[in-house]
Structure formats: C-alpha cells, structure tokens
Amino acid sequence: MKSSPSLAILLACSFAFIIVQLDVTIVNVALPEIGRELQAGVSQLQWVVDAYTLGFAVFLLSAGAMGDRFGSRSVFLGGFALFTLASLACAMAPDALSLNVARAVQGIGAALLVPSSLSILNAVYAEDRSKLAKAIAWWTAAGGVSIAAGPVLGGLLMSMFGWRSIFWVNIPICVLGFWLTLRVVPVLRHSGPARSFDVPGQLLAVIALTAFIGAVIEVHALGLTHPAVLAALVVAVAAGMWFIRVEQRSAGPMLPLQLFKLAGFAQAVLFGVFVNFAYYGVIFVLSFYLQKVRGFSVLHAGLIFLPLTGTFLFANITSGWLQARVGSRLPMIIGGLIGGSGYALLGLFGISESASFWAMLPGLALIPAGMGLAVPAMTTSILASVSKQQAGTASAVLNTARQVGGAMGVAVYGALVATPATAAILAGIDAAMAVSTALLLGGALLAYLTIFNQGVKLCHS
C-alpha cells in the first residue's frame, strides 16, 4: 500500500462521507415546505429524517460483511450508485410515503459507503497509526463541514429552485465520487475469512430498530397507551432480545458481541450515541424554531447555521494533530466539555421569541468545536482497539450505534416541539438543550473514567 496515491484515496473516501452527512441535515430547512406541498404532518416529516438514518443504521453491519466478502472497493462503488438512484427517486417523489421510502433506500446506500470508506483508509494507512489518525480527522472534517453546511446549502437551493433541488444536488457529487474511486482506489484484498451475512440477525435488527423508533415517533400523536405504540414496543423488545440470543449462538454473527469486551470499545460506542442523539435532534428542532417561531425565511434560517461549518473544520484538523501527540482520550474529554457548554449556552441565551443571532453564536460555535475534537478521536480509538481484519466490523458497529442515536434524537426532540403553541415549542427546545448538555458532559465523564489503552498509546504505535 505504500505506493498507493493515499491523498487521492483520502479525497475519494471524503466525497462519500460528504454526501452521507450532507443528507442528514440538508433536508431540515426544507421540512416546512415539504410538509406544505406534500400535505405531511410532523410525524411524517420526522420520517423524512428518520427513514434515512434508520435505513443507514440497520444495514451498516451487513455492509461490513459485504465489504469483507466482495471487497471494500466494490461495495464502495455500489454505495455511490445506489445513493444516486435513491436521490433521483427523492427528487421526483409525488407524496410523503414515496419520499420516505426513497429516503430509506438512500440510507442503505449510505450504509454501503461509510464502513467501506473507513476500511479503505484503514488499509491505506495500516502501517502508520499516527497518519491514520490524521486521515480520519480529515475524513471526519469533510463530513463535519458538510453536515454543518447542509442547512446553508439547503436554504440557498430552496430559495432558488424549491425543495426538490436538495436531492438533485446529490447526483453530480455521487458521479464525481464514483469516477474518482474508479481512478485511484485499488482492489483491496482481505486476509481474514469472509463473514457470514447472518440473515436471522439482520432481519431481527431491522425489526427491532424499526419498531422501536417508529413507536417513539408516533407516541406523541397517538399516545403511549395506543395499541399500535404498545405493540411496536413489545415487538422491539422481543426482537431485540431474540437478536442478542441469535448473535450469542451464531458461528458468524453480524454483531460480534465480544467486541464490547475490548478495552474502551463499548464506552466509545456509547459516546457516539450521545453525540449523535444530541446533534441530530437539536438541528431538527432548531430548523422548526427558526422558521415557525421566528418566522425566518428558509435562506435566512440556513445562514444562521453557518458558524457550524468553520469550527467543525478547525476542530477536526486540531483533533488529528492532538491525537498524534497525546492519543484519543484527551480530545474526547475536551470535546465533550466544549460541546456540552455550547448546548448550555444556546439553551440559556440563544432560544427565545426575540433572541438575536449574536446570542445564538457562542452556542453555535462551541457545539461543532466540541464534536470536531471528539468524533475523530472516538473513531480512531475504535479502530485502534481491534485488529485490521475487524476494522470494517468495528466501524460498522460504531456508525450503527451513532445512527440509531441520531434517529432517536430526532424522534424524541421532535415530539417535544410537535405543537402549534409558541410557548410549548420554546419549552420543548429548552428541554432538548438541557438533555443535550447532560449527554455531552456525561460523554466527557465517560471518556475520563475509561482507559482507552490503544487510543492513549496511539502516538507510540
């Protein structure tokens, strides 16, 4: 791998993460207009976000198995192709149901892209873990900037071309990523045995996650005691317990449970859940706040998110530099503290019927700064805790957990603001900020109490 054009490969992998992360947030500013045109309620609009993250989450582990069996490059190319077709279907969707189905397929395409891109990077930089940390920092920076720029780009496109343009824009990006991958990414050989697809495990995971998140989304509209909600919760618990039993007994499990016995692995995964739950949920409710409570145009609302972009990029690059010197643990602690402070400041001073942009700015700057420090370190600590043969599986586990956390954040926080009353919306957002603050500070404490053996010693390996 020394002769590989590693920087060009990093660029190709970054294109994938850009498009995956862009579609997490670019739709948020478009939700009110999508709701008006397609006559969709809040629950249906939550599914516009959650169908994507759910499709992403439940197929990540299978995507890792596909990478092991067919090669990371082939799965990576397939992800670009599927994402392109799904984006086309989203752009042409005639109703909310069609849009949400297409969004779920987009999520499956994203699932093919993320673990395969990390597997490619892990192979390219396998002999130098310090360079791997820096490469992951740049990879994360690309995704971080795109997730922060999503509302801004969405606002610009919406103001000129309407909501369907936010899906049309994916197509040239995917085509460019596909072409670059064909040009620069080599065929990677996997030294380990091919993993099983574990069909029973995959089906049970899909059932459990879909039932659980669906119940959370619908509980506000139907009530906790509604038969449909109760039935979904029962199915989720039963399928989840059965899933664990199947994985314990399987010779080739989709989710190798022994990974969670590795030093720092489970803690880093939980940290990722906290980060995504808070961030995805807050971006969702802030879009509603800016347009429904403050009455801002879609472009104005998008521009208010602009401070998220610059601090993401700076913090991601700083994280890679810092990890190369002190390891993964310290950036996670500092990142959690900074991110938690950002949510606290935004909740205390930035949310009201008349709060100025300058009152929101400190929180909007600190939130991505904290995430930008913590997320690359979290990812590197996961990869450093496993062998090269387990890198695809480990990254799939982490990203599955993060996407479930993000979907849950949108569902829970969305329920808090699913009301026409301004005072109730503001109270719901205040509650969301308080929960997010607690989650990030809890993540910092978790990192402090946990010894990431491989991550702390990264700079010496």
Side-chain angles (χ1 to χ4, degrees), residues 265-314:
F265 186 91
Q267 292 83 354
V269 169
L270 185 58
F271 190 102
V273 173
F274 289 171
V275 167
N276 274 39
F277 186 105
Y279 187 77
Y280 284 24
V282 165
I283 291 296
F284 182 87
V285 297
L286 280 182
S287 297
F288 270 81
Y289 161 74
L290 292 171
Q291 294 182 64
K292 288 195 170 186
V293 175
R294 304 301 302 275
F296 293 155
S297 69
V298 65
L299 177 58
H300 191 179
L303 290 174
I304 288 176
F305 286 104
L306 193 59
L308 297 174
T309 307
T311 48
F312 250 129
L313 179 61
F314 175 77

Side-chain angles (χ1 to χ4, degrees), residues 338-384:
I338 293 175
S341 299
Y343 287 118
L345 289 174
L346 190 58
L348 289 172
F349 306 110
I351 304 298
S352 72
E353 290 188 64
S354 58
S356 68
F357 169 75
W358 300 109
M360 299 180 68
L361 182 59
L364 290 176
L366 288 176
I367 290 168
M371 287 183 61
L373 281 174
V375 170
M378 173 186 65
T379 305
T380 305
S381 71
I382 286 287
L383 292 178

Side-chain angles (χ1 to χ4, degrees), residues 157-453:
L157 291 171
M158 286 268 298
S159 65
M160 294 184 290
F161 306 112
W163 69 265
R164 296 180 188 273
S165 63
I166 66 175
F167 298 112
W168 286 115
V169 75
N170 293 338
I171 296 174
I173 299 175
C174 286
V175 169
L176 182 57
F178 189 94
W179 172 82
L180 188 60
T181 301
L182 285 176
R183 290 288 303 271
V184 303
V185 176
V187 176
L188 301 171
R189 304 297 179 186
H190 295 271
S191 56
R195 288 172 55 204
S196 166
F197 281 109
D198 185 16
V199 174
Q202 180 61 62
L203 290 176
L204 288 168
V206 170
I207 293 169
L209 290 170
T210 302
F212 183 57
I213 294 175
V216 172
I217 289 176
E218 296 298 333
V219 71
H220 183 271
L222 301 178
L224 183 59
T225 58
H226 191 279
V229 173
L230 291 175
L233 290 174
V234 170
V235 169
V237 172
M241 294 176 64
W242 194 1
F243 170 78
I244 293 173
R245 186 177 181 85
V246 166
E247 298 307 278
Q248 288 174 331
R249 296 185 172 189
S250 174
M254 179 185 71
L255 176 59
L257 298 178
Q258 65 268 25
L259 288 177
F260 292 94
K261 298 179 181 179
L262 299 175
F265 186 91
Q267 292 83 354
V269 169
L270 185 58
F271 190 102
V273 173
F274 289 171
V275 167
N276 274 39
F277 186 105
Y279 187 77
Y280 284 24
V282 165
I283 291 296
F284 182 87
V285 297
L286 280 182
S287 297
F288 270 81
Y289 161 74
L290 292 171
Q291 294 182 64
K292 288 195 170 186
V293 175
R294 304 301 302 275
F296 293 155
S297 69
V298 65
L299 177 58
H300 191 179
L303 290 174
I304 288 176
F305 286 104
L306 193 59
L308 297 174
T309 307
T311 48
F312 250 129
L313 179 61
F314 175 77
N316 281 147
I317 296 171
T318 301
S319 180
W321 174 86
L322 190 59
Q323 287 181 72
R325 286 156 178 78
V326 301
S328 302
R329 189 183 183 200
L330 185 60
M332 290 177 68
I333 296 171
I334 297 173
L337 293 174
I338 293 175
S341 299
Y343 287 118
L345 289 174
L346 190 58
L348 289 172
F349 306 110
I351 304 298
S352 72
E353 290 188 64
S354 58
S356 68
F357 169 75
W358 300 109
M360 299 180 68
L361 182 59
L364 290 176
L366 288 176
I367 290 168
M371 287 183 61
L373 281 174
V375 170
M378 173 186 65
T379 305
T380 305
S381 71
I382 286 287
L383 292 178
S385 69
V386 301
S387 66
K388 287 190 292 184
Q389 289 74 29
Q390 293 178 306
T393 303
S395 63
V397 170
L398 172 62
N399 283 286
T400 297
R402 290 184 63 192
Q403 293 309 311
V404 172
M408 287 296 301
V410 172
V412 173
Y413 290 179
L416 293 176
V417 299
T419 173
T422 297
I425 292 175
L426 292 175
I429 296 176
D430 285 342
M433 295 302 171
V435 171
S436 296
T437 300
L439 287 175
L440 267 292
L441 296 180
L445 178 62
L446 189 67
Y448 175 76
L449 296 175
T450 302
I451 299 176
F452 294 103
N453 292 321

Side-chain angles (χ1 to χ4, degrees), residues 4-12 124-125:
S4 299
S6 56
L7 291 179
I9 294 172
L10 175 58
L11 181 61
V124 170
Y125 296 97

